[in-house]
Amino acid sequence: MSGSPGCEKSMIAKRIPTILPMMTERETLEVTKIYSVAGLLKKQGNFNNRKTI
């Protein structure tokens, strides 16, 4: 995002994930594969199926 200082870019970036719909099972699996290949997948825990940007 671009814009002048103080135009609420950070606020918008923090709130966008809360208004996105939940990911489908297929989307969740695709994201999990990417995280796994990148070495970012946690060893244990639940998967987050909330869309992120």
Side-chain angles (χ1 to χ4, degrees), residues 6-29:
C7 70
E8 304 300 330
K9 296 180 297 289
S10 296
M11 180 196 68
I12 292 169
K14 290 177 185 174
R15 285 169 176 76
I16 286 175
T18 65
I19 62 172
L20 292 173
M22 299 297 273
M23 288 191 284
T24 63
E25 183 178 348
R26 184 175 180 167
E27 290 172 328
T28 302
L29 289 172

Side-chain angles (χ1 to χ4, degrees), residues 22-52:
M22 299 297 273
M23 288 191 284
T24 63
E25 183 178 348
R26 184 175 180 167
E27 290 172 328
T28 302
L29 289 172
E30 288 178 19
V31 171
T32 302
K33 289 177 187 178
I34 293 168
Y35 270 64
S36 178
V37 169
L40 300 173
L41 190 62
K42 294 180 182 179
K43 301 294 181 197
Q44 293 179 284
N46 296 330
F47 295 111
N48 183 359
N49 61 351
R50 174 80 56 192
K51 288 186 178 178
T52 58

